[in-house]
């Protein structure tokens, strides 16, 4: 079992310039707000952290996968989406090409914040129950996966059609 941490002090590795290390941790990943809905993340993510000591700082790579669970973007039924995160950060204080990471304070790396932001940046544009989800009927809201062939009476007055479009925006 990987150690459960929210942050990690890179200084404890005692790396010198040019040295690197691969580490495994369990990092809590908060539930996610996306498109007005809430998605569960399964709690802790097993992360791999690659640390390289550069001349004046660190180059970091964070990798993990999260199984999101929440409403389908199209039909609102339960949906699961696996999101694979692969993010990089460089922290290089001092010198001409100074580059600071917002997740490093001194040598303390805020893994929880980095994992949260990296996940948000990796999200797919839609979270779907199935890749070919038909969504909801624009006229009556019926789930078209369950009832793909249902029919409506032809609209009598085009103004009503306009109204129902507005309501669904
Ligand atoms: Zn769906
Ligand atoms: Zn309908």
């Amino acid at each position: 079992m990987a150690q459960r941490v929210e942050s990690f002090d890179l200084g404890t590795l005692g790396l010198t310039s040019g040295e690197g290390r691969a580490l495994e941790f369990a990092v809590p990943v908060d539930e996610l707000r996306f498109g007005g809905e809430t998605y569960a993340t399964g709690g802790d993510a097993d992360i791999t952290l690659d640390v390289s000591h550069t001349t004046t700082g660190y180059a970091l790579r964070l990798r993990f996968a999260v199984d999101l669970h929440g409403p389908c973007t199209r039909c609102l039924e339960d949906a699961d989406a696996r999101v694979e995160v692969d993010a990089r950060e460089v922290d290089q204080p001092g010198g001409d090409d100074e580059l600071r990471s917002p997740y490093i304070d001194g040598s303390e790396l805020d893994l929880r914040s980095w994992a949260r932001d990296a996940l948000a940046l990796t999200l797919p544009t839609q979270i779907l129950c199935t890749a070919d989800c038909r969504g909801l009927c624009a006229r009556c809201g019926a789930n078209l996966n369950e009832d793909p062939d249902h029919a409506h009476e032809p609209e009598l007055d085009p103004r009503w059609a306009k109204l129902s479009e507005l309501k669904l925006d």
Side-chain angles (χ1 to χ4, degrees), residues 69-163:
H69 182 81
C72 169
T73 315
R74 287 187 197 149
C75 76
L76 304 179
E77 294 296 319
D78 281 347
D80 292 289
R82 189 171 183 80
V83 181
E84 313 241 356
V85 177
D86 186 344
R88 290 167 193 271
E89 280 289 320
V90 172
D91 190 65
Q92 197 164 270
D96 290 337
D97 35 44
E98 179 171 88
L99 209 58
R100 301 312 306 263
S101 165
Y103 306 112
I104 295 181
D105 183 11
S107 61
E108 189 78 13
L109 172 64
D110 184 348
L111 280 166
R112 186 177 192 155
S113 299
W114 187 14
R116 179 199 61 213
D117 292 350
L119 173 63
L121 290 172
T122 310
L123 285 181
T125 52
Q126 293 190 313
I127 294 169
L128 301 177
C129 59
T130 55
D132 56 355
C133 172
R134 295 162 183 268
L136 303 178
C137 172
R139 297 259 304 267
C140 71
N143 187 329
L144 295 176
N145 300 305
E146 291 158 9
D147 197 4
D149 298 320
H150 80 286
H152 292 278
E153 295 297 315
E155 291 288 350
L156 297 176
D157 184 335
R159 281 173 300 176
W160 288 110
K162 265 275 177 283
L163 260 183

